[in-house]
């Protein structure tokens, strides 16, 4: 964001460069924190400060999701064309690359999903 000062546009000071007192003033708070009344009012107004946890996808869904991208579908189509043209070596190479890529993507997403579910 920016603002105008004497006809010139000046960038706004980034939040990390502001003193804590300025942040407390913007948040209508103090160094001692909120009173119970103010906290209850904000809880009613904004709701609880929680992340919404989704149910994790099953391992099969994660694996199948690796093969939904357009480039993977194009490569699978190329594999089918290679098989149709009796070029089994090229088809095998393309299929191997797609499978390895899919398994690596699955492994990474499974690890991320497991880490997220442990939070």
């Amino acid at each position: 964001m920016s603002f105008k000062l004497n006809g010139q546009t000046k960038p706004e000071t980034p939040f990390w460069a502001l003193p804590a007192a300025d942040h407390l003033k913007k948040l209508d708070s103090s160094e001692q924190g909120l009173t119970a009344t103010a906290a209850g009012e904000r809880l009613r107004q904004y709701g609880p400060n929680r992340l919404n946890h989704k149910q994790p996808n099953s391992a099969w869904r994660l694996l199948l999701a690796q093969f939904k991208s357009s480039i993977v579908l194009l490569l699978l189509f190329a594999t089918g064309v290679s098989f149709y043209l009796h070029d089994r070596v090229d088809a095998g190479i393309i299929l191997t690359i797609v499978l390895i890529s899919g398994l690596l993507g699955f492994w990474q997403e499974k690890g991320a999903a497991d880490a997220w579910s442990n939070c």
Side-chain angles (χ1 to χ4, degrees):
M1 293 183 89
S2 60
F3 63 93
K4 284 199 168 194
L5 179 65
N6 297 331
Q8 296 179 1
T9 303
K10 301 277 185 181
E12 186 176 314
T13 305
F15 72 92
W16 62 87
L18 292 174
D22 289 355
H23 289 292
L24 291 171
K25 185 176 177 184
K26 282 184 181 182
L27 295 171
D28 194 25
S29 186
S30 69
E31 288 185 20
Q32 291 75 33
L34 297 174
T35 64
T37 306
E41 184 179 314
R42 289 185 187 194
L43 181 61
R44 279 189 298 281
Q45 184 177 3
Y46 301 111
N49 188 14
R50 291 194 193 125
L51 294 174
N52 295 329
H53 286 285
K54 295 189 311 183
Q55 289 294 327
N57 286 334
S58 70
W60 285 109
R61 283 184 187 239
L62 284 177
L63 181 62
L64 290 176
Q66 302 305 311
F67 302 101
K68 287 184 179 178
S69 74
S70 57
I71 189 72
V72 170
L73 294 176
L74 183 65
L75 287 170
L76 290 174
F77 178 75
T79 302
V81 170
S82 293
F83 270 122
Y84 178 76
L85 297 175
H86 303 288
D87 193 355
R88 307 220 187 278
V89 174
D90 284 350
I93 291 170
I94 295 170
L95 191 58
T96 301
I97 291 170
V98 168
L99 289 175
I100 289 172
S101 172
L103 289 174
L104 286 174
F106 166 74
W107 182 45
Q108 287 181 325
E109 286 204 30
K110 181 76 170 125
D114 290 345
W116 176 254
S117 65
N118 291 332
C119 288

